[in-house]
Amino acid sequence: MIPGKFAQTDPNRIAVIMAGSSETINFGELEQRTNRLAHFFRQQGLNRCDHYAIYMENNINYVECCGAGMRAGLYFTPTNSYLGVDELGYILNNSRSKILITSQAKLEVARAAMAQAPGVTLCLVVDGEGEARDDGRVMSLAAAVANMPDTPIADEWLGVAMLYSSGTTGRPKGIVRPLPEVKPEAGIPLYDFLSKLWLCRDRMIYLSPAPLYHSAPQAAVSLAIMAGGTAVIMESFNPETYLQLVEHHRVTHSQLVPTMFSRMLKLPEDVRSRYDLSSLEAVIHAAAPCPIPVKEAMIDWWGPIIHEYYGATEGLGFTACDTAEWQAHKGTVGRVVLGEIHILDDDMQPMPQGEPGTIWFTTATPFEYFENADKTNESRSADGTKTTVGDVGYLDADGFLHLTDRKTFMIISGGMNIYPQECENLLITHPKVADAAVFGVPNEDLGEEVKAVVQAAPGVTADADLAAELIAFCRANMAHIKCPRSIDFTKQLPRLPTGKLYKRELRDPYWVGHKSKIG
């Protein structure tokens, strides 16, 4: 999210527009703002390869807060803005962040999380007042950078995001990439690949409808700006507002998740036809497979401009397809475009064409799980040449990938990855719960929703009141997206003699009538 050459050649060109407030930042201003914050980082002792974190909703300051790290050689971690205190505190500690950037809306949680993260020496509030609070550990961003130079720091280096991907144990893992000692404009090879995959171009108008703490929106906004485009950032997604913004700003590019498609398709026909969408050139989607009827309806509505890709935050490999390729291979998530794909059985032997197996890639871009060698090794083959996130799929006769299942019971709800173990671990602590299982069940709008099946403690009545109590308990202790929307009860959870939960026996009945566990 650095303006590059355009700050000098066309400083008045608009780089960022906030959709709701209409606040803007031009390329010249973005250059100055990222420079000031980079100087402040250096003043606070953050040097190349140090870490800081961002915890806030989409706002006008988000871009500069990432961009300063990109030009100061830092790892920055955008975190889910709905995390609870313990969840945020864990990431602050695990990432070794020294500074936390937040907003007034999130300050209460941020302050409590800092109490668990002694390594965080300072919290900057992007819309806060100027005076310091909390023993000098909290101050406003404006006050912090007020006396900083607006020219580049002397030792500019490329920095990158270190995003977190939850694990099946429920503890998130930092995905860290090696930082080459190059200037910020050089970028990393993955940036060049994604810029081409997402069809970035000079003067593109990119509409971002998703939270900037997600990997794809964060990268897409950055690459649009670096290409000389304008990023229109929605504070939150609303289907009709999205259509209004396309017409108003003459949007050319956008990236969505299938849930957003579904919600726009459910608008009344007179609303859907009210807005001029003819400026759209390329609409990208990923994060969750799109149901065939939904994608067919979107192509009928918007034309052959819809592109799909599949890849993990780890960046170990990618597949992609355009509209014509998808129509010839309906249900595919594309053909490999980065890395070398392998469909293997549990013995690491190739599966026959059309037969599902675990998806592995000959590693295309290097990564590790931050200070977690065990998890890094678990994701790699014995010889270290291949990596996987555990998804299951098959290749058709033309080499197009089709997904059939998720890595071990991961839930994808509205494009967000949710790992059920964390919720299970929480539920089991409730005094009225003897055992618990959490998994995804079909949801027409979100793709999947979180379901819990609970074995009540002896003497406890398993009824609607208990279900409501347990849902409220989860919501008080975890981000709401991770919490069950509904709870069913069973007398005994199916566990193997080893103690392992046989979750498939619980989950599969909910998927009867669905072609796969994708919905």
Side-chain angles (χ1 to χ4, degrees), residues 438-450:
V438 177
F439 45 86
V441 297
N443 179 292
E444 183 180 356
D445 185 34
L446 299 172
E448 292 181 282
E449 70 179 60
V450 181

Side-chain angles (χ1 to χ4, degrees), residues 418-454:
I418 302 167
Y419 291 83
Q421 185 68 52
E422 185 177 5
C423 187
E424 290 172 356
N425 290 347
L426 176 62
L427 279 169
I428 202 68
T429 67
H430 194 282
K432 296 181 181 179
V433 173
D435 205 352
V438 177
F439 45 86
V441 297
N443 179 292
E444 183 180 356
D445 185 34
L446 299 172
E448 292 181 282
E449 70 179 60
V450 181
K451 163 75 74 175
V453 175
V454 166

Side-chain angles (χ1 to χ4, degrees), residues 368-419:
E368 292 183 352
Y369 292 121
F370 184 58
E371 297 187 349
N372 196 333
D374 289 343
K375 291 298 181 183
T376 301
N377 292 333
E378 284 178 16
S379 72
R380 293 178 177 166
S381 58
D383 62 6
T385 63
K386 302 179 186 69
T387 48
T388 184
V389 291
D391 286 345
V392 177
Y394 66 89
L395 296 175
D396 66 22
D398 295 318
F400 284 82
L401 177 64
H402 299 252
L403 300 182
T404 58
D405 207 345
R406 298 294 176 200
K407 50 191 153 178
T408 310
F409 299 106
M410 184 183 77
I411 303 163
I412 295 187
S413 183
M416 292 188 65
N417 293 353
I418 302 167
Y419 291 83

Side-chain angles (χ1 to χ4, degrees), residues 24-142:
T24 64
I25 303 175
N26 65 36
F27 276 82
E29 292 166 339
L30 185 57
E31 171 80 2
Q32 294 173 344
R33 290 166 73 150
T34 55
N35 282 334
R36 290 191 185 103
L37 185 51
H39 276 284
F40 181 77
F41 285 149
R42 287 290 188 265
Q43 182 194 71
Q44 295 298 306
L46 272 69
N47 297 309
R48 183 176 177 273
C49 294
D50 281 338
H51 297 248
Y52 68 99
I54 302 169
Y55 172 69
M56 60 188 180
E57 70 283 5
N58 286 5
N59 58 53
I60 193 66
N61 300 99
Y62 215 116
V63 170
E64 70 186 272
C65 291
C66 297
M70 292 179 69
R71 68 190 316 155
L74 303 176
Y75 286 109
F76 56 96
T77 294
T79 63
N80 186 323
S81 62
Y82 294 99
L83 293 180
V85 172
D86 293 343
E87 297 163 311
L88 178 60
Y90 173 81
I91 290 178
L92 293 178
N93 278 317
N94 184 260
S95 65
R96 299 189 180 275
S97 290
K98 296 183 176 181
I99 288 177
L100 172 62
I101 302 176
T102 192
S103 65
Q104 285 284 5
K106 302 296 178 180
L107 181 56
E108 182 178 352
V109 173
R111 184 184 287 121
M114 286 176 64
Q116 302 180 12
V120 177
T121 58
L122 183 67
C123 177
L124 299 179
V125 185
V126 297
D127 53 352
E129 299 175 356
E131 71 272 13
R133 299 183 296 277
D134 287 2
D135 300 322
R137 293 183 73 197
V138 179
M139 68 184 302
S140 76
L141 175 64

Side-chain angles (χ1 to χ4, degrees), residues 2 70 153-159 180-187:
I2 51 176
M70 292 179 69
I153 58 176
D155 56 339
E156 280 198 319
W157 298 107
L158 173 67
E181 292 190 44
V182 297
K183 295 301 179 184
E185 294 78 11

